[in-house]
Amino acid sequence: MFQTDRKLRCRVVGAARHQVVRRVDALVDACRSAQRTVDSETVAAELIPLCDALKFIADRGPRILADRRVGMRGRAVWLWGVQSRVQRVPWGDVLILAAWNYPLLLPGVQLAQALAAGNRVWVKPAPGCESATQILAECFFDAGVPTDCLAVLDSTVDAATRRIDQGVDLVVLTGGVATGRTVMHALAESVTPSIMELSGCDAMAVLPGADLDRVASAVRFGLTFNAGATCIGPRRLLIGADTWKDLSTRVSPMLSSGKPLVVHPSAIGTVVELVEEALDRGAKDFLGLFDLQRLRNDRSMHPLILTDVPSDCRISHSDVFAPVMTVERCGDEESVVRRVNDCPYRLAASVFGPHDQARRLANRLCVGSVVVNDLIAPTADARLPFGGRGASGHGVTRGPEGLLAMTTVRVISRRKGSVTPHLSPPQQSDADLLAGSLAMTHGKGLRQKWQGLKRVVDAARRR
């Protein structure tokens, strides 16, 4: 394990950001693919928030990981002389199973937090992301992380399976729910804890009075950014009929002129199946640009907005890593809350509308993250934790909570002095003495407390 002073650990890990800057061109080149064709997306969506997170660890990590002293203040009488310390200690061996859609930011922050907490880390990259992951690891090595504290596995499923079989203390997975179930099943026998950052089917709720020009720009951004392969990208547009009528005239020209986007090989089967089912059941292609044959042949598609989707259609409650969105007509706030909270995937949501109304709605949504009058970008704040609910996983990464999640708790209590009444042989008057003490400490009002004091005095006389 990375067993040095926590301040030094956090400083070394934080210094990896300087190496990221030095290798920025190599990292951008390594992330370029059929899905990632815009280099600025790698810098904006991955490298900048990653470096922000590394600086956060360097600046705030030592204080977050510091021991918490529990002294006299608030101490119960019967704990006279006891002082305790709550320590955050590393789990030990941490396995990170990375995703393909953000190969630098997601595993980068996770391994940085695991190292800063003092763990030894193994990272299994997603297929196709081997080069990016290796360059990222070299950034940490050059910053001073010992080579025996961080290892990059090959990208096969067998590599992850072997590592789990050899024994790990914590597994952090970013991926689909099916993979999450498989990994949790493998961990069940050894009762190994995990953090599961799984898929989303996120809702974008548009309230009356929302700035529809901003909403239209958000729809375009959410469907096209990273080729639509963002776990918190908008998949369901919850909107009133009249508002949709006004919004649709703004959305159509924004999305009709763009180039087709390429769907990742691991997602193409699900996308074809779900879209074909929805169209067969009467869903309408709003933009009129969808070509199922082209999607099958070369995995490319224009953004797809489906209207008139039957409520029980699988695409309305499934994780889709592609530029696909369904439109669901919601007449009031209650129907929005119901549709968001009833969905098995509850990673994030966005709400557009007048501030007070949007904030009130956000407070009722059972999801991991809600963004008001924006989407996706604010969640990259290094100070914020990230995690989902339901089928979207459990546990958090990033932010102070994510750093603490890379540790487990050890409590050390020490008693000073000679007052140890619990070690004395029991006496007949003990029950009255303890009951009286209980009343004195927790009784309601002076009468109960006074009766408790009298009971203590009487018990003490009989000892």
Side-chain angles (χ1 to χ4, degrees):
M1 288 181 288
F2 197 177
Q3 291 284 23
T4 59
D5 175 80
R6 69 174 184 277
K7 293 182 180 179
L8 176 59
R9 286 201 311 265
C10 291
R11 186 163 67 245
V12 168
V13 169
R17 69 188 190 276
H18 308 310
Q19 303 301 323
V20 169
V21 172
R22 190 165 69 86
R23 289 176 168 83
V24 60
D25 292 329
L27 288 166
V28 168
D29 288 344
C31 289
R32 198 174 292 123
S33 67
Q35 291 74 45
R36 179 75 62 79
T37 60
V38 182
D39 291 345
S40 61
E41 289 186 356
T42 300
V43 179
E46 302 221 60
L47 298 182
I48 289 176
L50 172 58
C51 288
D52 288 344
L54 295 173
K55 185 176 187 302
F56 176 85
I57 289 172
D59 294 346
R60 297 275 305 279
R63 190 178 312 141
I64 294 168
L65 295 170
D67 294 354
R68 178 168 63 89
R69 183 177 175 274
V70 182
M72 292 178 58
R73 186 181 181 87
R75 183 175 62 192
V77 174
W78 60 274
L79 288 174
W80 182 266
V82 175
Q83 293 184 342
S84 301
R85 188 174 292 274
V86 181
Q87 300 175 333
R88 307 300 309 209
V89 298
W91 283 102
D93 294 338
V94 175
L95 172 62
I96 295 173
L97 305 177
W100 55 265
N101 57 334
Y102 288 92
L104 298 177
L105 173 63
L106 302 183
V109 176
Q110 292 163 5
L111 73 87
Q113 290 189 319
L115 289 169
N119 299 283
R120 182 167 51 236
V121 181
W122 282 268
V123 182
K124 190 203 83 66
C129 302
E130 298 87 352
S131 177
T133 307
Q134 187 59 49
I135 297 171
L136 184 62
E138 290 168 2
C139 291
F140 285 91
F141 293 142
D142 288 351
V145 171
T147 55
D148 61 349
C149 291
L150 173 61
V152 178
L153 304 176
D154 66 55
S155 58
T156 64
V157 173
D158 285 345
T161 302
R162 285 194 304 270
R163 184 63 257 174
I164 291 173
D165 290 343
Q166 290 166 4
V168 292
D169 300 296
L170 176 70
V171 173
V172 183
L173 166 69
T174 304
V177 66
T179 304
R181 290 193 183 102
T182 300
V183 172
M184 284 190 285
H185 185 270
L187 299 176
E189 184 66 28
S190 58
V191 200
T192 300
S194 63
I195 297 172
M196 293 284 154
E197 188 178 305
L198 305 180
S199 311
C201 184
D202 293 353
M204 180 177 176
V206 182
L207 304 178
D211 180 345
L212 295 186
D213 289 329
R214 173 178 289 195
V215 174
S217 296
V219 169
R220 180 203 58 77
F221 173 76
L223 286 177
T224 60
F225 188 73
N226 202 34
T230 300
C231 59
I232 54 173
R235 295 289 170 254
R236 296 178 294 148
L237 183 65
L238 308 184
I239 190 170
D242 292 339
T243 308
W244 166 243
K245 183 177 179 181
D246 292 339
L247 177 64
S248 62
T249 61
R250 294 169 167 85
V251 169
S252 184
M254 284 186 174
L255 290 174
S256 297
S257 58
K259 296 180 179 179
L261 304 170
V262 177
V263 179
H264 193 270
S266 64
I268 186 66
T270 300
V271 175
V272 169
E273 179 182 341
L274 294 177
V275 170
E276 187 173 21
E277 176 192 85
L279 293 173
D280 287 345
R281 295 190 58 190
K284 302 294 191 299
D285 171 14
F286 167 69
L287 297 173
L289 299 174
F290 181 69
D291 186 333
L292 182 59
Q293 197 59 44
R294 180 170 61 187
L295 179 61
R296 284 194 175 118
N297 291 342
D298 59 14
R299 296 187 287 108
S300 68
M301 62 180 294
H302 286 280
L304 174 62
I305 297 178
L306 293 171
T307 61
D308 301 324
V309 180
S311 60
D312 61 343
C313 208
R314 288 187 299 159
I315 200 168
S316 298
H317 48 82
S318 298
D319 52 332
V320 180
F321 278 85
V324 177
M325 171 187 282
T326 63
V327 178
E328 300 180 21
R329 310 297 170 83
C330 290
D332 53 42
E333 186 174 306
E334 293 301 323
S335 62
V336 171
V337 171
R338 184 174 62 255
R339 294 194 189 198
V340 171
N341 294 348
D342 286 350
C343 181
Y345 295 97
R346 300 194 300 280
L347 188 57
S350 54
V351 180
F352 288 79
H355 179 73
D356 290 343
Q357 185 181 357
R359 185 175 60 179
R360 184 176 67 246
L361 175 59
N363 288 333
R364 300 181 62 192
L365 302 182
C366 298
V367 299
S369 177
V370 185
V371 178
V372 173
N373 289 322
D374 198 357
L375 75 169
I376 300 175
T379 62
D381 188 333
R383 301 166 298 176
L384 301 179
F386 186 79
R389 300 174 66 174
S392 291
H394 56 259
V396 295
T397 59
R398 294 189 262 167
E401 293 81 1
L403 180 54
L404 290 175
M406 297 297 180
T407 68
T408 188
V409 174
R410 178 171 62 207
V411 179
I412 297 178
S413 299
R414 179 179 59 140
R415 185 183 288 273
K416 298 175 64 176
S418 59
V419 180
T420 55
H422 58 290
L423 300 182
S424 301
Q427 298 187 29
Q428 237 178 355
S429 59
D430 284 353
D432 283 335
L433 184 66
L434 293 171
S437 298
L438 179 65
M440 287 174 59
T441 306
H442 299 290
K444 182 179 180 180
L446 289 176
R447 181 180 178 85
Q448 269 191 345
K449 293 179 183 294
W450 174 249
Q451 289 175 343
L453 175 60
K454 290 197 299 182
R455 195 167 182 179
V456 167
V457 171
D458 180 64
R461 286 175 178 168
R462 289 187 281 118
R463 289 180 71 86

